Amino acid sequence: MEERKVAIIGSGCAGLTAALYTARAGLSPLVIEGDESGGQLSLTTLVENFPGFVEGIQGPELIDNLRRQAERFGAEFRTGRVKRLVLERRPYRLELEDGEVATQAVIIAAGARARWLGLPSEQALIGHGVSSCATCDGFFFRGRDIVVVGGGDSAMEEALFLTRFASSVTLVHRRDQYRASLIMLARAQANPKIRWITNAEIVEIRDVEKQEVTSIVLQDTRTGRRRELPTAAVFLGIGHIPNTNFFGAALETDSDGYLVTRDYVFTRTPGVFACGDVQDRRYRQAITAAGSGCMAAIEVERFLQEHAAG
Ligand code: NAP
């Protein structure tokens, strides 16, 4: 079986930063790229809030740069995903789709994926007016009327944030009861730029042919009646799903499936660290993911210095 000092699960901002640091420490990391190589940044367009890029940088270009930077110092990449992480004893074992890897330390940077509605028109317009990241894309809709979907805290937070740019934000929710905390709901209700549509589901986002969002088709959940609402953008605020299903009960997760860490990046298993969105429900930014990737890499280096190979 192939043996490694460190394996990194995930190739988004967190995983690639961890790869850069462990590679520069001479640990020859192996990065398992996962289903979505490059993570969520590879799905975005212009990134204007990653420090150091005066004019911003395209998400895929930033990912490509990080990857090449890590490769320059000896990081290796493997496509595919980890089916199972076996943590009974060191060396730990990664079961891949096409083989197994034994490793002395593991960095879990598997990320989280935004929950989408699952409409074909939505998928076709991601990056063209459909977004799951208000912080990333809100700026592009200055002075426009836009829509946010969801009834939880994320939707309230996104809607409030987007009122800084948009001339109006319409919150579309599938029920008439909100899951959001009272304080967030009250804050949103007090904002005159926010409009409210309840008991409605989006059944189509137009206009795929033009490759820009021009309107949504709403269906009333009680009557089934449909109507069209013009909008320049649709922001999804219906939650995130951390990618934590490959380690079963071996590591601790919270009620929403996020990997639980202490002191930023430590899991409960020695030599297994976690960084980025898989363990961060609070910030979920490229720069915070990169920062925690750096922390995980430094802890791996320390761990391997202190613990002989198992
Ligand atoms: P959430 O609480 O699970 O809310 C998700 C919302 O999206 C719900 O209103 C749900 O509708 C709706 N939804 C889910 N799937 C849908 C679909 N397919 N179509 C239409 N609507 C759909 O998720 P969240 O808002 O991301 O919050 C997650 C956790 O993070 C919560 O504990 C929250 O308090 C916390 N959080 C806190 C803050 C803050 O305090 N600043 C900010 C963000 C998140 P239903 O209600 O009908 O199920």
Side-chain angles (χ1 to χ4, degrees), residues 20 27 29 83 123 135 164 180 269 279 289 308:
L20 170 64
L27 297 174
K83 285 198 304 185
Q123 296 301 306
T135 327
R164 295 190 205 172
T269 303
Q279 48 87 255

Side-chain angles (χ1 to χ4, degrees), residues 118-180:
L119 303 168
S121 54
E122 167 199 58
Q123 296 301 306
L125 288 167
I126 291 175
H128 301 276
V130 172
S131 170
S132 60
C133 180
T135 327
C136 318
D137 299 325
F139 185 79
F140 302 115
F141 301 97
R142 194 171 276 275
R144 311 290 302 275
D145 297 315
I146 62 175
V147 159
V148 170
V149 192
D153 281 338
S154 290
M156 301 302 139
E157 197 171 61
E158 293 214 345
L160 282 162
F161 178 79
L162 289 165
T163 57
R164 295 190 205 172
F165 311 105
S167 54
S168 81
V169 176
T170 302
L171 254 168
V172 174
H173 181 35
R174 63 183 175 185
R175 296 186 299 140
D176 58 5
Q177 298 293 310
Y178 288 93
R179 201 177 281 276

